[in-house]
Amino acid sequence: MDGICTLANDQVYEQVIALLNSIEAIYGQEMPVCIYPYDHNTAKIAAEIAHRPQVQIYDDRESIQRWDEFICKIWDAHPTAIEHWSKFGNDKYHRVGTHRRYGAFDGPFDRFVYMDADTLLMSPLTKIFHQLEYCDWVVYDFQYTDLSHVYNQSSAKLTEIFTPQQLQTEIFCSGFYASKKGVFDVQMQELLLEKLCQGEAEILYTMAPDQTILNYMVMRSGISNCNLALELPESEKTGCCVISEHFQAQDNILYDKGKRLTYLHYIGLSSKLFQRVCEGENIDFPYRDIFLYYRYLHEPDKRPKFTTKAKAYNASPSLATKVLKKLGLTGGGK
């Protein structure tokens, strides 16, 4: 069975409802969805999906605990991570809940597409699922142009473990990917953990914990993988990032120079921003109307009616630059 997965708690409630509605706009209730809980704070989401029979919250406690333990062992093996994180708060591990998306490798779907809660589906995923017939891992993004948010580039081990070609073409953003159940079984986890504990953990980038580990797992395991951003012809390729200002909306679908997007990623925008807008605060941000359309798809009467002049959401140039750099968005269709 094919399905779509996401990771959420009530802090991203507005965004996850928009995502679920965008999936329904494409598939109706035909496409099953599994929400992996970031933590126990999911009461609002649980109440909302009670009338969505195709949506479930993952509740395999054994699986969740096994992945939690796997992740903690990895970071325990890292030479500086825990000391580094101690400067930012009291939690021993940084954003450990983000790794719970890895439960998708245990089920319930034989094949799945994972989408971050701050994404919207714009097209059927036929092309993505079709590619899984030929490989075990499919992505569609431009992260490969920037290694700095994936691995610790100052580690000498990095180029001992991976070839320059791998580091230029195989890295990816963890916000959208497709894979299969069982790709990372317990045996594979143990093999990867052994390598990490032997010193390879030092190549991991501590401030994007789920992304760096996922990249390591895919690249170190040697599973077959492909990035459609590299493999599709230019005539078919599109961007996906909210910072790309040239997308055009038609019937609440975005197009990149006439080509329909697969998904839109609101990367770099805080979940608090979406919450404030949904509470009626008139803050403008890129593709806000698209977000509001899907958020209130089933309850348009509750969509906020703004009566004041919009305040621009102005990400500082440094933030915009960082996000652009992170995704390798240098223009064109990216």
Side-chain angles (χ1 to χ4, degrees):
M1 179 171 65
D2 294 343
I4 295 175
C5 303
T6 191
L7 175 83
N9 63 7
D10 287 348
Q11 185 173 328
V12 295
Y13 175 82
E14 309 295 351
Q15 292 157 285
V16 79
I17 299 309
L19 171 59
L20 292 176
N21 287 343
S22 72
I23 295 169
E24 283 193 17
I26 300 294
Y27 287 106
Q29 293 190 339
E30 299 298 314
M31 177 63 72
V33 179
C34 186
I35 300 172
Y36 290 82
Y38 181 92
D39 54 25
H40 297 299
N41 182 27
T42 56
K44 284 178 64 178
I45 292 175
E48 164 62 30
I49 68 172
H51 64 276
R52 299 179 190 250
Q54 80 280 21
V55 183
Q56 62 176 296
I57 296 178
Y58 191 64
D59 62 357
D60 185 334
R61 302 309 305 174
E62 181 181 343
S63 167
I64 292 171
Q65 183 177 351
R66 184 170 64 252
W67 283 108
D68 282 354
E69 291 173 354
F70 174 72
I71 295 307
C72 292
K73 288 176 181 177
I74 290 174
W75 291 119
D76 286 343
H78 193 281
T80 61
I82 293 175
E83 180 184 358
H84 183 208
W85 294 332
S86 69
K87 300 173 184 177
F88 301 101
N90 297 323
D91 293 335
K92 182 178 180 181
Y93 304 103
H94 181 56
R95 298 175 60 210
V96 70
T98 60
H99 304 91
R100 291 185 171 177
R101 70 187 72 189
Y102 301 171
F105 300 119
D106 299 332
F109 306 131
D110 298 312
R111 308 190 307 174
F112 63 87
V113 172
Y114 171 84
M115 302 180 67
D116 267 352
D118 61 346
T119 61
L120 295 175
L121 186 61
M122 293 280 109
S123 294
L125 293 167
T126 309
K127 189 179 299 182
I128 307 294
F129 282 115
H130 176 72
Q131 197 64 33
L132 284 177
E133 296 178 12
Y134 306 101
C135 55
D136 292 326
W137 192 265
V138 182
V139 297
Y140 190 2
D141 66 73
F142 302 87
Q143 185 71 52
Y144 64 86
T145 62
D146 176 28
L147 187 62
S148 66
H149 287 74
V150 176
Y151 290 121
N152 172 18
Q153 291 178 280
S154 65
S155 170
K157 286 185 180 292
L158 185 58
T159 51
E160 296 174 8
I161 298 169
F162 300 123
T163 67
Q165 176 71 10
Q166 284 180 291
L167 295 173
Q168 290 168 11
T169 62
E170 292 188 21
I171 64 172
F172 56 88
C173 172
S174 62
F176 182 95
Y177 54 85
S179 191
K180 303 170 184 176
K181 181 176 182 176
V183 165
F184 295 108
D185 57 18
V186 173
Q187 183 180 8
M188 179 64 76
Q189 291 173 46
E190 291 175 351
L191 290 171
L192 292 171
L193 184 60
E194 182 179 359
K195 294 179 185 297
L196 287 160
C197 290
Q198 289 172 348
E200 294 190 6
E202 74 170 53
I203 74 169
L204 301 177
Y205 175 63
T206 59
M207 298 314 292
D210 63 281
Q211 181 160 282
T212 189
I213 290 178
L214 203 55
N215 273 265
Y216 177 88
M217 289 167 60
V218 172
M219 294 172 65
R220 199 66 171 106
S221 66
I223 63 172
S224 55
N225 63 84
C226 95
N227 186 344
L228 293 179
L230 287 167
E231 300 206 5
L232 286 175
E234 287 295 328
S235 60
E236 297 180 25
K237 195 181 303 183
T238 75
C240 59
C241 180
V242 68
I243 285 185
S244 298
E245 298 178 351
H246 62 278
F247 298 153
Q248 294 183 319
Q250 182 178 340
D251 297 326
N252 299 295
I253 297 293
L254 290 176
Y255 293 82
D256 184 349
K257 299 176 182 176
K259 297 166 288 187
R260 184 169 175 169
L261 267 64
T262 298
Y263 69 102
L264 176 67
H265 195 176
Y266 287 93
I267 191 168
L269 301 186
S270 167
S271 60
K272 294 180 180 178
L273 171 66
F274 292 88
Q275 183 177 345
R276 289 166 64 190
V277 169
C278 290
E279 290 172 351
E281 195 169 346
N282 194 1
I283 308 172
D284 198 16
F285 59 86
Y287 308 109
R288 184 182 74 167
D289 285 346
I290 294 290
F291 167 77
L292 290 172
Y293 171 79
Y294 288 104
R295 168 59 185 88
Y296 296 99
L297 183 67
H298 298 311
E299 42 189 7
D301 56 312
K302 293 185 179 180
R303 179 171 173 167
K305 298 176 176 61
F306 304 114
T307 57
T308 59
K309 183 178 179 180
K311 296 180 290 184
Y313 173 75
N314 291 321
S316 67
S318 60
L319 174 60
T321 300
K322 286 177 183 177
V323 175
L324 283 167
K325 183 180 178 184
K326 179 177 180 181
L327 297 179
L329 305 176
T330 55
K334 311 304 184 285

